[in-house]
Amino acid sequence: MPEDWVRIFDTTLRDGEQSAGVNLNTAEKIQIAHQLAKLRVDIIEAGFPAASPGDMEAVSTIAREVRGPVIAGLARTRPADIEAAAEAVRHAEKPRIHTFIATSPIHMEHKLKMTPDQVLEEVRRAVTQARSFVDDVEFSAEDASRSEIDFLVKVYSLAIECGATTLNIPDTVGYAAPDEFGRFVKAILDGVKAPPEIIWSVHCHNDLGLAVANSLEAVRAGVRQVECTVNGLGERAGNASMEEIVMALRTRPDRYGVASRLETSRLYSTSKLVSRLTGVLVPPNKAIVGENAFAHEAGIHQHGILCNRATYEIMKPEDVGAPGTALVLGKHSGRHAFLKRLEALGFELDDDQKEKAFRLFKDLCDRKKTVSDGDIEALVVDEVLAVVPERRFELKEYSVQVAGRGRASASITLRDGTSEVTDAAAGNGPVDAAYSAIRRLVGISPELTSYRIQATSERSDAMGEAVITLRLGDLKAQGRGASTDVIEASIKAYVSAVNRLYALAAAKGEVLNGENAG
Ligand code: KIV
Ligand code: ZN
C-alpha cells in the first residue's frame, strides 16, 4: 500500500506554458524547475518533447540537471512521441513517460476519427511501448469527464494490464461540477480493479472556475495525485492552482485527512518567480499568493487581528512565505542585508550573480532613496538571471523628444557586435518612436503583440518594468526591461525581445534580415 499523501504533479512547464502569450526559454524553464524542486513537488512535467526541438531540449536539460522530483515528459500515443519522451527523460534521476489519448465520444469521433476499439488498441500499444523504456508510466484518458464510465473502466484496466503505474482522470474542458466529479471519480476507482500500488490522479481545468474544488473532491474520493500549476496558469482559463490545493489540504485536515509534502513556505516566492518569468500577473485578490491575500483593511478586522490573529486569519502569511512587513533597503544597506533579502525572496544565486546583483543594487541606490522588494526582484530577474543566448544588440544610448499631442521623436544607439549604430525615428509617443528607430537599426520588423508596464512598488520613484512580446513569422519572443525611467525600461524590453528572436531563429537554422516581417 503506498504511503498516504497527495502527490503534487506540477505541469506549469507544460500545460502552464500553453497559456496564451506565455513563452519560456530553456534557461527560464530550468530556473522554474529548480524552484519547484526546492518547493518539493513530487513530479515536474517538464514539457512535451515531440512538440518542438525547444521542448525536447528543455525537458532533457531539466532531466539532467534537476534532482529530487520525478521528471515527466508528455507524449501522445504515437510511437514517435513516446520515443521522444523516452529520449528526453533518459537522464532523469526518476524518469516518467506520460502518455494520453482522448476517450470521450465527441473527441473519438470528431478529433481522432477512431472507434473505441481503435482507441483501446492505441492504449495497449502506447503504454506497452512506454514501459519498455521506463518503469514509471502515467496514462491519461483525455476528456475523461465527458467519457462513458464503462468505457473508462475498460481503458484504465487495460492501461494497468500493460504496465501503467499512475492513472489520470482529466477534466480537460473544465466542465465538471464538484459533487458530480467526486462521484464520477469514485465510480471509476470502484469499477477498476487496480492493485494498491497504482496511484490515481486528476487534472482539472478552470473554465468554470471549479478546478480547485473539483480536484479537492477527487482527493476525497481517493485520488492521491493532483495535477496543477503555479498561479493556476494553463490552457484557456488555466489549470487548478497548486498553492490553493496545497493550502486547502493543509488548512482543512478535518475535511481532507491527507496532505501534500510541499515546503509551503516557498509557495510565495515560487509564485513570484513564475509570474515574473511568464509575464502573467497575479491578481491582488488571488487566494494564497495575491498581494492582498493577508491584508486586513477594515477597522473591525484590524481590531480583531490585534486581539487574536485567528479571528480573521485561517493561515499565517509565513506558512506560504508571504512577506509580513516588507523590509526597505537603501544606500546604507550593506552586502549582508542585501543578500539576506535575496534569500528571503527565494533567489539562490551563484557568487558571480550575487556580485552583479549587489552592484546593480548599489547603482540603483544612487538613483533612488529606498529600494523595495519589487525593485530587487525586477533587477535580479531582468538583469541578472535573464539569459539571452546571444546578446547581439545592446542599448548604449537613447534620447526622446516629445513635441506635444503625442508626437515624439527618438534617437537610439545600439551596440551591434563590436560596432555602434545610431538611427532616429518619429512616432506616436516616445515609446512608439523609440521602437520605430530600433526596427530601422535591427533590420527586422516584428509585430508587437503585447506591451505592459508596471511599477515595482507604489512609490513615485518606483522602477518601471516593461514586458513585451514580439512576433516575427512563427517566431515569438518575450522581452523584459527594468529601469527607474519607463521609456528606458520599454526600450530594454524591446532590445531583449529582438535578441531572443535572433537566438530562436539561429536555433532553427534561420537567418533574420531585411523585411522578414511577421
Ligand atoms: O487537459 C488535459 O486533458 C491534458 C492531458 C494531456 C492530461 O492536459
Ligand atoms: Zn490540461
Side-chain angles (χ1 to χ4, degrees):
M1 187 69 138
E3 229 183 298
D4 204 18
W5 84 95
V6 176
R7 284 127 190 102
I8 298 298
F9 176 115
D10 179 274
T11 183
T12 307
L13 297 176
R14 200 277 296 168
D15 220 326
E17 221 238 347
Q18 286 172 221
S19 307
V22 171
N23 188 6
L24 297 166
N25 63 28
T26 299
E28 291 164 336
K29 288 182 184 175
I30 291 167
Q31 241 177 286
I32 292 176
H34 279 299
Q35 178 69 20
L36 292 170
K38 279 186 227 138
L39 181 62
R40 305 207 11 217
V41 305
D42 299 274
I43 302 107
I44 296 174
E45 184 163 59
F48 186 175
S52 69
D55 257 52
M56 174 61 124
E57 188 208 352
V59 180
S60 45
T61 314
I62 290 170
R64 241 181 268 270
E65 288 190 13
V66 178
R67 292 293 174 252
V70 170
I71 306 297
L74 184 69
R76 288 165 295 191
T77 50
R78 299 177 189 180
D81 274 35
I82 293 177
E83 274 163 31
E87 174 57 29
V89 299
R90 195 154 63 96
H91 296 290
E93 181 188 18
K94 301 174 210 158
R96 173 179 294 189
I97 296 176
H98 175 194
T99 185
F100 72 99
I101 190 164
T103 51
S104 62
I106 182 168
H107 276 234
M108 289 192 288
E109 185 184 338
H110 297 284
K111 185 183 81 173
L112 298 175
K113 304 195 190 320
M114 281 184 192
T115 63
D117 280 348
Q118 286 172 315
V119 167
L120 282 167
E121 199 36 49
E122 285 287 299
V123 174
R124 178 190 304 283
R125 202 182 30 70
V127 175
T128 308
Q129 187 194 0
R131 265 312 294 257
S132 73
F133 293 113
V134 290
D135 291 340
D136 184 348
V137 172
E138 173 168 339
F139 169 74
S140 288
E142 191 191 9
D143 204 18
S145 57
R146 293 191 299 169
S147 306
E148 284 158 14
I149 291 193
D150 290 350
F151 183 56
L152 283 176
V153 168
K154 270 196 207 161
V155 166
Y156 289 124
S157 303
L158 177 62
I160 294 174
E161 205 181 286
C162 299
T165 45
T166 297
L167 300 175
N168 185 34
I169 308 173
D171 180 25
T172 302
V173 290
Y175 180 73
D179 56 337
E180 164 202 76
F181 192 59
R183 285 195 300 275
F184 181 76
V185 167
K186 175 109 185 27
I188 297 170
L189 269 59
D190 288 345
V192 178
K193 299 285 161 269
E197 62 276 13
I198 294 289
I199 302 293
W200 286 97
S201 167
V202 286
H203 173 112
C204 297
H205 277 270
N206 206 29
D207 299 66
L208 294 172
L210 294 170
V212 169
N214 285 332
S215 306
L216 292 169
E217 276 305 300
V219 168
R220 275 161 48 81
V223 310
R224 289 296 180 264
Q225 173 179 291
V226 174
E227 303 197 353
C228 47
T229 56
V230 176
N231 299 336
L233 286 178
E235 187 81 36
R236 306 184 308 280
N239 288 63
S241 138
M242 176 212 282
E243 50 283 352
E244 294 177 23
I245 291 174
V246 168
M247 290 313 288
L249 294 176
R250 178 177 157 143
T251 309
R252 296 299 308 271
D254 55 320
R255 188 155 173 82
Y256 303 110
V258 60
S260 77
R261 287 180 166 177
L262 256 57
E263 184 69 67
T264 62
S265 64
R266 292 193 187 264
L267 284 171
Y268 184 81
S269 51
T270 308
S271 156
K272 282 276 193 189
L273 179 74
V274 169
S275 169
R276 286 203 175 276
L277 292 183
T278 56
V280 180
L281 297 181
V282 174
N285 61 335
K286 163 88 172 63
I288 317 296
V289 290
E291 247 4 89
N292 296 343
F294 295 94
H296 301 276
E297 189 76 18
I300 198 164
H301 288 204
Q302 290 180 351
H303 174 71
I305 285 281
L306 289 173
C307 297
N308 180 339
R309 297 199 75 84
T311 50
Y312 286 100
E313 227 170 57
I314 58 165
M315 298 166 276
K316 297 200 276 309
E318 53 270 30
D319 293 343
V320 302
T325 47
L327 187 69
V328 175
L329 297 175
K331 70 173 172 191
H332 300 298
S333 307
R335 179 186 301 268
H336 184 71
F338 176 70
L339 295 183
K340 274 253 155 278
R341 198 68 208 138
L342 282 183
E343 211 179 295
L345 290 169
F347 292 113
E348 269 181 36
L349 307 182
D350 63 29
D351 288 346
D352 287 350
Q353 290 170 325
K354 282 181 191 162
E355 205 44 54
K356 182 168 183 194
F358 187 61
R359 199 166 15 87
L360 289 168
F361 162 71
K362 282 294 178 186
D363 288 350
L364 187 60
C365 291
D366 288 338
R367 282 176 282 141
K368 288 184 79 196
K369 200 161 167 297
T370 56
V371 175
S372 69
D373 284 356
D375 294 337
I376 296 174
E377 284 170 4
L379 269 188
V380 175
V381 173
D382 298 337
E383 307 287 332
V384 181
L385 294 174
V387 183
V388 178
E390 188 195 345
R391 194 180 280 266
R392 180 172 165 174
F393 298 105
E394 202 183 322
L395 175 66
K396 293 308 292 176
E397 268 177 42
Y398 74 95
S399 69
V400 290
Q401 282 85 41
V402 180
R405 291 185 174 271
R407 294 306 299 163
S409 60
S411 163
I412 304 280
T413 302
L414 298 181
R415 186 196 293 279
D416 178 359
T418 50
S419 58
E420 286 189 6
V421 284
T422 302
D423 210 334
N428 192 5
V431 172
D432 187 46
Y435 284 6
S436 297
I438 298 172
R439 279 195 293 274
R440 293 163 68 111
L441 287 169
V442 300
I444 53 172
S445 296
E447 180 194 351
L448 178 70
T449 58
S450 77
Y451 169 77
R452 211 185 48 237
I453 187 136
Q454 74 186 98
T456 52
S457 75
E458 274 144 27
R459 300 168 55 101
S460 60
D461 68 351
M463 295 232 289
E465 190 183 19
V467 183
I468 70 155
T469 310
L470 295 180
R471 194 172 67 80
L472 185 72
D474 59 356
L475 301 176
K476 219 165 140 196
Q478 200 183 61
R480 280 186 291 270
S483 167
T484 43
D485 172 345
V486 292
I487 296 168
E488 183 177 349
S490 305
I491 295 173
K492 282 180 165 176
Y494 200 94
V495 173
S496 119
V498 167
N499 279 325
R500 281 171 188 237
L501 284 177
Y502 270 92
L504 285 173
K508 292 177 92 181
E510 290 173 15
V511 179
L512 296 186
N513 52 30
E515 284 301 307
N516 199 358

